[in-house]
Amino acid sequence: SITATPPVDLTPPTTTHDYDGHWHTTDFTITLTATDPVSGVADTYYKLNDGPTKTTLVDGHPFITTESANNKLEYWSIDNAANEETHRILIGIRLDKTAPTGSIIINNGEMYTNSTWVTLALTAADATSDIYQVRYSNDGMWDTEVWETASATKTWMLPTVDGTKALYCQVKDNAGLISSTYSDTIILDTASPEVSITDPVSGYESKLSTLTVTWSGGDEVSGISHY
């Protein structure tokens, strides 16, 4: 009779992952694939962020739930001949599930302006992936507005008709999450007020050393501040 000799396996398995290196905005799974051409793979082991050891057979593949720019995955496999693979380390696993926040202020919070050109002050924050871009709108509709690099201040032109003007903004983080819409208002008044003297009338003459003058004034948009 011929006795079959089982193959000798001295080579540990090889394990690969399918993480794409991009920011993710929802919890996601990294699939670990192990191969061993001789004795076959017994199991694949891993640790997330230096946590407890888990296996794909019992716990499933690594499931990323922690918001961070640098989640860490340590993984390795063992074959049926008890060969253990050198542990591999994957860092920079990125997950951001929280949209950024911000605010917009026109002309340092002033109520009125007599110029269509105003200065915007932007504040924006994102705890995980950081702020990437901002966009502005005069009508709060996000259809043709262009994303641009975020900066602390920006010069902006208001619509030219006098009255209350609103300005809107949104910010986007590096993971692609977009904030709520933030806004501020300012009243544009480019027309001078009108004033008329009602007493004394034109041509009035007086020998007195003092004179009482009566007048009236008006301004449709911002009202009269002082005379």
Side-chain angles (χ1 to χ4, degrees):
S1 63
I2 299 176
T3 302
T5 302
V8 177
D9 185 358
L10 301 177
T11 304
T14 300
T15 308
T16 60
H17 66 83
D18 68 349
Y19 176 56
D20 57 13
H22 299 155
W23 278 103
H24 287 243
T25 57
T26 58
D27 298 340
F28 65 101
T29 298
I30 296 178
T31 300
L32 299 176
T33 302
T35 57
D36 188 274
V38 182
S39 64
V41 177
D43 206 348
T44 298
Y45 301 78
Y46 63 89
K47 294 181 180 180
L48 280 173
N49 296 320
D50 296 319
T53 300
K54 298 182 178 182
T55 75
T56 56
L57 288 179
V58 175
D59 304 290
H61 290 270
F63 190 51
I64 309 301
T65 62
T66 301
E67 290 187 86
S68 174
N70 196 31
N71 280 296
K72 174 184 175 183
L73 174 63
E74 178 182 355
Y75 62 98
W76 68 99
S77 295
I78 298 176
D79 64 19
N80 288 300
N83 294 305
E84 181 172 335
E85 179 183 13
T86 300
H87 293 205
R88 301 173 185 267
I89 304 293
L90 174 63
I91 59 174
I93 303 170
R94 299 182 289 180
L95 175 63
D96 185 357
K97 300 182 286 186
T98 306
T101 58
S103 67
I104 187 78
I105 298 177
I106 306 173
N107 280 4
N108 293 319
E110 294 178 359
M111 182 176 294
Y112 300 99
T113 180
N114 58 21
S115 172
T116 55
W117 288 100
V118 294
T119 300
L120 313 179
L122 173 70
T123 61
D126 187 86
T128 305
S129 64
D130 208 354
I131 298 300
Y132 177 42
Q133 290 178 317
V134 60
R135 61 181 176 182
Y136 301 95
S137 170
N138 282 319
D139 57 11
M141 301 295 291
W142 306 109
D143 40 24
T144 60
E145 286 70 21
V146 178
W147 288 102
E148 59 186 76
T149 301
S151 60
T153 60
K154 180 179 178 63
T155 302
W156 186 264
M157 185 176 182
L158 300 172
T160 56
V161 179
D162 283 1
T164 301
K165 305 297 175 185
L167 183 69
Y168 306 86
C169 79
Q170 288 183 329
V171 290
K172 178 168 62 174
D173 64 22
N174 283 290
L177 295 168
I178 298 174
S179 72
S180 301
T181 297
Y182 302 97
S183 66
D184 192 20
T185 60
I186 195 168
I187 299 173
L188 175 64
D189 184 1
T190 59
S192 299
E194 296 181 354
V195 64
S196 61
I197 297 177
T198 57
D199 187 54
V201 297
S202 179
Y204 174 82
E205 296 182 3
S206 174
K207 295 181 180 181
L208 301 176
S209 60
T210 60
L211 183 66
T212 299
V213 179
T214 304
W215 64 83
S216 63
D219 187 271
E220 293 183 1
V221 179
S222 61
I224 299 297
S225 172
H226 56 273
Y227 294 99

